[in-house]
Structures are given as structure tokens and as C-alpha cells.
């Protein structure tokens, strides 16, 4: 059995990850590629409970360290019960956020040590890394304006503009450090143009599969 491919979607708040997830799923289905769509934090019953804890705007103050460990606890469950089984059955996995979000939010936003994140990444993931990451990038104000339309903010969305500028910068740094894996998509354009860039970024991986 040929192992499936692992694709992740990343970017700041409201840049259009969820919107484009369905588009990518349909594109893969069109090429007869079986795909599991999932998200982080979340993807299993326990990991979804951890997600609720992390996003709850009314929770007690969560320390930066507790936040980081909760993110990786959810990820550990997700990898063991969803991601690895699907990949080893030859399915592709399309995931709304993964560890680049930890580098961006906990590393960039919360200023946690990158070496600590790397250590947890190696511990929890072993050699598992995405085959392709689509990084949707747009100015912070654009994403926040779009996210605002959806209503009440969660615990992260209630952060300051400066926090999100740090998140964006950390994402762009990840792209610079991993140019083979991370493809930058300009999300501040009409949806059809965003989706054209997504297809361009995915073509190579899909062509090799067909
Ligand atoms: N987190 C997560 C961490 O801190 N560390 C971690 O390791 C991980 C994995 C998860 C939160 O957890 C944090 C980061 C996050 O704060 P989430 O729900 O995954 O939360 O993330 P959000 O960014 O909150 O997801 P959103 O649903 O807000 O944003 P999306 O999915 O990027 O945006 P989407 O698709 O919902 O679009 C927003 C609006 O914009 C419109 C859409 O129609 C929608 O109304 N839109 C466009 N409008 C015009 N032009 C375009 N091109 C558009 N694209 C979308």
C-alpha cells in the first residue's frame, strides 16, 4: 500500500482556511484521491474537548506552558487515532492547521522558546511532517475583518493586533525556513484567484499520484 500524502492549511485568523478546505477536498475527489478532512486542535473526541478548553474565552487564565502542552496533547491523540491510520491506508489527509500553527501562535504570538516547540514536535510526531503546507497569507486587518463577520470571538481571536502581527511574521519565517514544503498563497484576493494559486501549488503532488 502506497502511503497517502499529508497536506496542511495554515494562516492567521479569517484568512480563508475553512472556506478552501472544501474546495481542495473536491479537487482531490475529482482526481479520485481518497481524502480524510480534519482539523487542529481537534480531530478526535478527546482532542475536540481540548479544543473547547483552548478556545473558551471565559476559561481561567491558561498559562503559556499549559496552552502549549494542551495543543500537543490534542495532536498526539489526533496523530495516533486519525492521521497515521489514514496515511498508512493510502488515504490523503487534509488538515486545517497543524504544527506550523504552534510555531506561529505559541512561538511567535506567545514568545515561547522555539527549541521547546521543536522538542515537543519530535517527541509527539517522530518523523511525521506534512508533505505540503498551503500558507494563506493576508494582512492582519483583512483576516480580522473577515473573522469578525462570523460573530463572537474565541480566546485567541480576542488577542491584540500586535499578537497577530507576531503570528503572521512567525508563519512567514516558517515559510522561509521550509521553502520546499510550505507554499505561500496570497489570500488577500478574490476567492477564485486564491483557488487558482492553491491548484498551482498542489498540481505537482497530485500529478505524481495519478
Ligand atoms: N491554535 C491552533 C494555536 O494557537 N496553536 C496550534 O498549534 C493550533 C493548531 C483555532 C485556534 O487555535 C489556535 C489558532 C486559532 O486561533 P480555528 O478555528 O482553526 O481556531 O482558526 P481560525 O483562524 O479562527 O479559523 P477561522 O475559521 O476564523 O478562519 P479561516 O478558516 O481561515 O477563515 P474562513 O474560511 O472561515 O473565512 C472567514 C470569512 O472570510 C470569507 C469567508 O467566506 C468567511 O466569511 N472569505 C473571503 N472573503 C473574501 N475573499 C476571500 N478570498 C475570502 N476567503 C474567505
Amino acid at each position: 500500500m502506497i502511503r497517502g500524502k499529508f497536506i496542511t492549511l495554515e494562516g492567521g485568523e479569517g484568512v480563508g482556511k475553512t472556506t478552501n478546505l472544501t474546495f481542495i477536498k473536491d479537487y482531490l475527489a475529482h482526481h479520485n484521491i481518497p481524502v480524510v478532512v480534519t482539523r487542529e486542535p481537534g480531530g478526535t473526541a478527546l482532542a475536540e474537548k481540548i479544543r473547547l478548553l483552548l478556545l473558551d474565552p471565559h476559561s481561567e487564565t491558561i498559562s503559556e506552558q499549559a496552552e502549549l502542552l494542551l495543543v500537543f496533547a490534542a495532536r498526539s491523540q489526533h496523530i495516533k487515532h486519525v492521521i497515521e491510520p489514514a496515511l498508512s491506508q493510502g488515504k490523503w489527509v487534509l488538515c486545517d492547521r497543524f504544527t506550523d500553527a504552534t510555531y506561529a501562535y505559541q512561538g511567535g504570538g506567545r514568545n515561547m522558546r522555539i527549541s521547546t516547540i521543536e522538542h515537543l514536535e519530535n517527541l509527539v510526531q517522530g518523523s511525521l511532517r506534512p508533505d505540503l503546507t498551503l500558507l494563506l497569507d493576508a494582512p492582519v486587518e483583512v483576516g480580522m475583518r473577515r473573522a469578525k463577520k462570523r460573530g463572537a470571538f474565541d480566546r485567541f481571536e480576542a488577542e491584540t493586533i500586535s499578537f497577530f502581527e507576531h503570528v503572521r511574521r512567525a508563519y512567514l519565517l516558517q515559510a522561509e525556513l521550509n521553502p520546499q514544503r510550505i507554499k505561500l498563497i496570497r489570500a488577500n484576493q478574490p476567492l477564485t484567484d486564491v483557488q487558482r494559486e492553491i491548484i498551482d501549488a498542489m498540481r505537482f503532488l497530485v500529478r505524481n499520484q495519478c
Side-chain angles (χ1 to χ4, degrees):
M1 174 71 67
I2 298 173
R3 192 174 158 85
K5 300 288 182 202
F6 182 27
I7 302 175
T8 58
L9 255 90
E10 295 281 3
E13 307 295 311
V15 288
K17 296 174 301 298
T18 312
T19 306
N20 287 299
L21 216 60
T22 314
F23 171 75
I24 297 170
K25 181 177 170 241
D26 292 346
Y27 173 70
L28 293 175
H30 179 74
H31 288 86
N32 297 317
I33 294 173
V35 60
V36 170
V37 178
T38 185
R39 69 174 180 184
E40 287 215 350
T44 76
L46 178 59
E48 288 291 331
K49 285 184 185 163
I50 296 175
R51 177 188 178 90
L52 290 178
L53 295 174
L54 282 164
L55 299 192
D56 181 3
H58 308 298
S59 73
E60 69 185 48
T61 307
I62 301 179
S63 76
E64 288 160 4
Q65 194 174 74
E67 182 179 282
L68 179 67
L69 293 171
L70 283 170
V71 162
F72 271 108
R75 184 161 298 139
S76 175
Q77 287 294 110
H78 193 205
I79 291 170
K80 185 171 169 48
H81 295 295
V82 176
I83 299 176
E84 271 301 343
L87 293 174
S88 48
Q89 287 164 25
K91 293 177 188 156
W92 287 33
V93 174
L94 180 57
C95 190
D96 191 342
R97 296 191 187 278
F98 194 62
T99 308
D100 291 306
T102 314
Y103 283 102
Y105 283 77
Q106 282 65 49
R110 303 276 190 237
N111 206 17
M112 295 210 69
R113 273 204 186 145
I114 297 305
S115 58
T116 308
I117 300 175
E118 279 169 348
H119 176 71
L120 289 169
E121 180 181 35
N122 290 328
L123 179 77
V124 168
Q125 295 171 218
S127 62
L128 177 72
R129 300 291 182 275
D131 295 291
L132 173 69
T133 297
L134 302 167
L135 172 56
L136 275 68
D137 178 62
V140 170
E141 320 80 71
V142 172
M144 293 311 287
R145 210 180 311 127
R146 289 181 188 166
K148 215 175 218 169
K149 279 197 223 146
R150 275 191 329 233
F153 278 175
D154 65 35
R155 197 174 63 85
F156 287 101
E157 288 165 341
E159 283 291 345
T160 60
I161 292 292
S162 146
F163 175 89
F164 291 114
E165 292 292 0
H166 282 100
V167 167
R168 186 181 183 204
R169 235 174 283 147
Y171 263 133
L172 291 173
L173 178 63
Q174 280 293 97
E176 236 178 270
L177 295 173
N178 302 276
Q180 293 297 328
R181 172 174 67 83
I182 303 182
K183 303 296 172 205
L184 201 66
I185 307 291
R186 289 168 301 158
N188 188 19
Q189 322 180 65
L191 198 52
T192 47
D193 295 332
V194 173
Q195 292 177 340
R196 194 169 312 122
E197 285 196 18
I198 289 176
I199 297 290
D200 284 347
M202 291 188 65
R203 198 165 275 136
F204 179 73
L205 209 60
V206 170
R207 200 187 293 137
N208 278 359
Q209 182 72 12
C210 299

